[in-house]
């Protein structure tokens, strides 16, 4: 039997407990031993969570989990940085394995946590930290371990995907779609992490570390959210053959890695364009396997609980195997137990020398929305500046006539360098023919 204790009995804590109790028999039939939910700590132990727990499990004091010598695995599900980090470090120093869904903590403080786990020879499971119920961590760590990863990209924030889907389907503006996401309980009360690309960047830091054997590099990820996208951009994108999605992208090119989160125009016939609502999808391209795609629920009590329990089972199996080896070794009196398998606590075993590319060095196609006065010569002024910076135009849209007033002028480019785009836009935005700041969106897919 393996004993576990949960700290944090909120959305994911409740889902995890429900799965552990409800599917207890199925799980032990599969793995051959029992996972025993011994304690759950939460600040509020009176609240009805709609789940019946055995007597005496609940406690208000996290230390009842952290200091219990019988608990093998501590499951941290409170979220945030402090005290979550203190709890995890205390568990590790008490030689307990840890399972967490806390992507914000791992992305920013994970290097220290994993190194402490290595020192103490315990495991840290984090399947639930990326894409909820999709077992993407196991896929990259195990299923695709034979591959050099060429690219990992996807929709890994359900809230922003819901907002963009709502704006596309119902032709509403960002603020209205956000309100609806909040009403449905998808977005946080303070949705900044979701809509500014920060949550996606937390998850991308973890995926990139596993895929490219680099340290967790959250600070080096370029982050741009969806707040500036208008319903009109979505319509123009559609007209040009694209959908707008908030993508998290990691790509290896010229022995450097691109790490970026931003709204992206994707050809509307690509599968990932069809991933709507709160769903997540991740595309992984390996040199041996080719293209692979994973789709499912990226959040919610039960999908996320499913990933938490998968980690508990994985670590539980190692504990039981290690215990059996110790017994065998003792029975055979074979001296010190040097053959007992060392638990795999490291995020990656050895770091590669791959460097992260500066954002200004990336190349992409671009969509520009200029706010230009409707008068003769405007397009040639703008295209003149683009030409000076080596930016070649693929198509142009200007709708309606409002002589002398500002109208949206849409330009789609061929592949250009981000550094040139930044300079060209700054110059264009200073021209008297332009009424407002230019919006630009990077475009993925084949050149038109
Ligand atoms: P919730 O806010 O629903 O639950 C957190 C719980 O922890 C609350 O009940 C909270 O109590 C309790 N808590 C806070 N501080 C303490 C403490 N010091 N001791 C004991 N209990 C405490 O969060 P979620 O379940 O949504 O998220 C948990 C983690 O899972 C986060 O890291 C999140 O990013 C991650 N995650 C969540 C997903 C989701 O769908 N919700 C999906 C994937 C990952 P109180 O409410 O009183 O503060
Ligand atoms: N806020 C996150 C999302 C929760 O919307 O995807 C899951 O990590």
């Amino acid at each position: 039997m393996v004993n576990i204790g949960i700290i944090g009995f909120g959305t994911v804590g409740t889902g995890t407990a429900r799965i552990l109790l409800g599917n207890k028999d199925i799980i032990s039939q599969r793995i051959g031993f029992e996972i025993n939910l011994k304690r759950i700590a939460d600040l509020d132990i009176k609240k009805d969570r709609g789940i019946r727990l055995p007597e005496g499990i609940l406690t208000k004091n996290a230390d009842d989990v952290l200091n219990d010598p019988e608990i093998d695995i501590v499951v941290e599900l409170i979220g945030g940085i402090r005290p979550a980090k203190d709890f995890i470090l205390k568990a590790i120093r008490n030689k307990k394995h840890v399972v967490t869904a806390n992507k914000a903590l791992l992305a920013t403080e994970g290097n220290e946590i994993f190194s402490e786990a290595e020192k103490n020879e315990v495991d840290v499971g984090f399947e639930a930290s990326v894409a909820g119920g999709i077992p993407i961590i196991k896929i990259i760590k195990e299923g695709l371990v034979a591959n050099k990863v060429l690219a990992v990209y996807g929709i890994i924030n359900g809230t922003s995907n819901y907002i963009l889907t709502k704006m596309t389907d119902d032709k509403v503006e960002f603020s209205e779609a956000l309100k609806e996401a909040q009403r449905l309980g998808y977005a946080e009360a303070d949705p900044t992490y979701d809509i500014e690309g920060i949550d996606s960047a937390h998850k991308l830091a973890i995926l990139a570390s596993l895929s490219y054997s680099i340290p967790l590099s959250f600070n080096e990820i370029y982050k741009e959210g969806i707040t500036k996208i208008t319903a009109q951009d979505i319509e123009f994108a559609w007209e040009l053959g694209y959908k707008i999605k908030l993508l998290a992208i990691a790509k290896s090119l010229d022995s450097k890695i691109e790490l970026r989160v931003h709204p992206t125009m994707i050809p509307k016939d690509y599968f990932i364009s069809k991933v709507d609502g709160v769903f997540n999808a991740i595309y992984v391209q390996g040199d041996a396997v080719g293209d692979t795609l994973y789709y499912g629920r990226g959040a919610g009590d039960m999908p996320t609980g499913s990933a938490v329990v998968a980690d508990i089972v994985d670590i539980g199996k190692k504990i039981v195997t290690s215990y059996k080896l110790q017994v065998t070794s003792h029975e055979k009196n074979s001296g010190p137990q040097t053959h007992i398998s060392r638990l795999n606590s490291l995020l990656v075993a050895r770091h590669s020398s791959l460097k992260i590319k500066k954002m200004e060095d990336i190349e992409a196609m671009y969509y520009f929305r200029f706010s230009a006065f409707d008068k003769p010569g405007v397009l040639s002024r703008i295209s003149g500046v683009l030409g000076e910076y080596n930016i070649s135009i693929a198509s142009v849209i200007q709708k309606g006539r409002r002589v002398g007033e500002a109208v949206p002028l849409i330009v789609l480019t061929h592949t250009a360098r981000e550094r040139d785009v930044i300079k060209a836009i700054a110059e264009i935005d200073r021209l008297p023919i332009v009424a407002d700041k230019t919006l630009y969106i990077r475009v993925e897919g084949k050149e038109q």
Side-chain angles (χ1 to χ4, degrees):
M1 184 166 78
V2 167
N3 286 311
I4 73 144
I6 294 176
I7 309 178
F9 200 29
T11 307
V12 182
T14 309
T16 302
R18 190 168 283 125
I19 295 168
L20 283 171
L21 298 173
N23 289 356
K24 193 178 177 110
D25 292 345
I26 297 171
I27 295 170
S28 41
Q29 268 163 20
R30 284 196 184 127
I31 63 179
F33 60 91
E34 194 187 321
I35 305 275
N36 178 42
L37 176 52
K38 189 159 189 271
R39 297 309 298 263
I40 300 177
D42 197 280
L43 300 175
D44 182 352
I45 57 169
K46 292 268 183 318
K47 188 171 167 183
D48 180 8
R49 318 261 176 184
I51 171 171
R52 276 190 50 199
L53 296 171
E55 267 313 280
I57 280 195
L58 283 171
T59 172
K60 278 179 120 168
N61 188 355
D63 275 337
D64 289 342
V65 173
L66 296 166
N67 294 333
D68 183 336
E70 287 184 354
I71 287 182
D72 305 289
I73 306 173
V74 171
V75 184
E76 181 278 308
L77 296 173
I78 67 173
I81 306 300
R82 301 255 171 203
K85 182 180 174 187
D86 307 316
F87 289 166
I88 288 180
L89 289 178
K90 187 163 185 181
I92 289 172
R93 288 170 189 146
N94 284 350
K95 309 283 179 201
K96 296 183 189 308
H97 307 285
V98 170
V99 171
T100 179
N102 196 335
K103 61 255 170 172
L105 176 63
L106 291 182
T108 53
E109 309 276 339
N111 292 322
E112 183 187 341
I113 290 171
F114 286 106
S115 117
E116 197 62 22
E118 167 72 354
K119 232 187 276 165
N120 286 278
E121 296 187 22
V122 293
D123 241 349
V124 177
F126 53 97
E127 183 63 70
S129 65
V130 182
I134 308 173
I136 190 67
I137 303 295
K138 208 175 179 66
I139 285 163
I140 295 176
K141 268 175 116 170
E142 296 177 20
L144 300 182
V145 71
N147 288 262
K148 177 176 173 189
V149 176
L150 306 174
V152 190
Y153 67 79
I155 297 169
I156 48 180
N157 182 267
T159 305
S160 53
N161 201 42
Y162 172 83
I163 292 171
L164 290 172
T165 304
K166 179 97 186 146
M167 288 172 74
T168 308
D169 293 350
D170 298 354
K171 302 189 175 11
V172 297
E173 287 301 342
F174 171 81
S175 56
E176 193 180 331
L178 169 62
K179 265 190 219 132
E180 185 64 3
Q182 284 172 310
R183 193 184 67 75
L184 292 168
Y186 298 147
E188 313 289 325
D190 173 4
T192 315
Y193 276 22
D194 293 316
I195 60 178
E196 294 294 1
I198 298 165
D199 178 71
S200 293
H202 286 146
K203 295 166 180 166
L204 184 65
I206 296 168
L207 290 180
S209 178
L210 293 175
S211 304
Y212 296 107
S213 303
I214 54 171
L216 289 152
S217 309
F218 171 74
N219 291 334
E220 284 147 88
I221 297 176
Y222 173 81
K223 308 163 192 85
E224 184 185 314
I226 58 168
T227 54
K228 294 192 187 83
I229 305 293
T230 64
Q232 209 178 29
D233 292 318
I234 289 176
E235 266 189 57
F236 283 132
W238 185 264
E239 208 169 302
L240 291 161
Y242 296 90
K243 275 177 90 172
I244 302 177
K245 295 286 182 191
L246 181 68
L247 277 201
I249 302 172
K251 265 188 205 177
S252 77
L253 275 176
D254 320 324
S255 68
K256 285 204 171 160
I257 312 164
E258 294 182 11
L259 291 182
R260 45 194 169 104
V261 172
H262 50 72
T264 310
M265 279 172 38
I266 313 167
K268 58 186 171 199
D269 58 340
Y270 278 28
F271 181 84
I272 213 153
S273 290
K274 299 182 172 104
V275 175
D276 282 333
V278 286
F279 275 86
N280 283 196
I282 300 162
Y283 165 95
V284 186
Q285 189 186 28
D287 65 342
V289 73
D291 295 347
T292 62
L293 186 63
Y294 310 92
Y295 170 83
R297 290 177 199 280
D301 55 350
M302 299 298 273
T304 314
S306 159
V308 171
V309 175
D311 271 343
I312 294 171
V313 165
D314 257 6
I315 296 174
K317 280 181 186 168
K318 290 181 194 166
I319 294 171
V320 169
T321 311
S322 157
Y323 174 75
K324 281 185 185 157
L325 281 167
Q326 283 185 54
V327 172
T328 319
S329 153
H330 182 71
E331 279 169 356
K332 289 187 180 159
N333 195 20
S334 56
Q337 288 125 32
T338 46
H339 63 297
I340 292 172
S341 66
R342 187 92 184 279
L343 292 166
N344 172 29
S345 54
L346 278 179
L347 188 64
V348 288
R350 253 183 294 131
H351 286 142
S352 70
S353 58
L354 285 170
K355 293 275 175 284
I356 297 163
K357 203 185 245 186
K358 287 197 185 109
M359 189 60 189
E360 60 192 33
D361 289 336
I362 74 139
E363 287 187 352
M365 295 172 285
Y366 291 81
Y367 160 103
F368 298 134
R369 173 174 33 91
F370 299 106
S371 179
F373 289 108
D374 188 6
K375 58 183 185 185
V378 167
L379 182 57
S380 73
R381 290 288 302 275
I382 289 177
S383 59
V385 177
L386 294 177
E388 277 169 36
Y389 287 95
N390 219 13
I391 301 167
S392 148
I393 295 176
S395 41
V396 177
I397 306 179
Q398 193 211 309
K399 286 275 173 72
R401 271 283 15 218
R402 270 184 277 147
V403 182
E405 283 181 48
V407 288
L409 174 70
I410 305 303
V411 168
L412 198 67
T413 75
H414 292 295
T415 299
R417 196 176 282 268
E418 179 96 1
R419 179 188 293 118
D420 296 331
V421 166
I422 293 168
K423 286 185 191 151
I425 296 302
E427 198 167 317
I428 290 169
D429 283 355
R430 285 195 296 271
L431 295 175
I433 51 160
V434 166
D436 208 347
K437 281 188 84 151
T438 302
L439 173 111
Y440 58 94
I441 304 174
R442 295 162 197 89
V443 180
E444 288 282 318
K446 292 195 181 68
E447 290 240 3
Q448 289 192 343

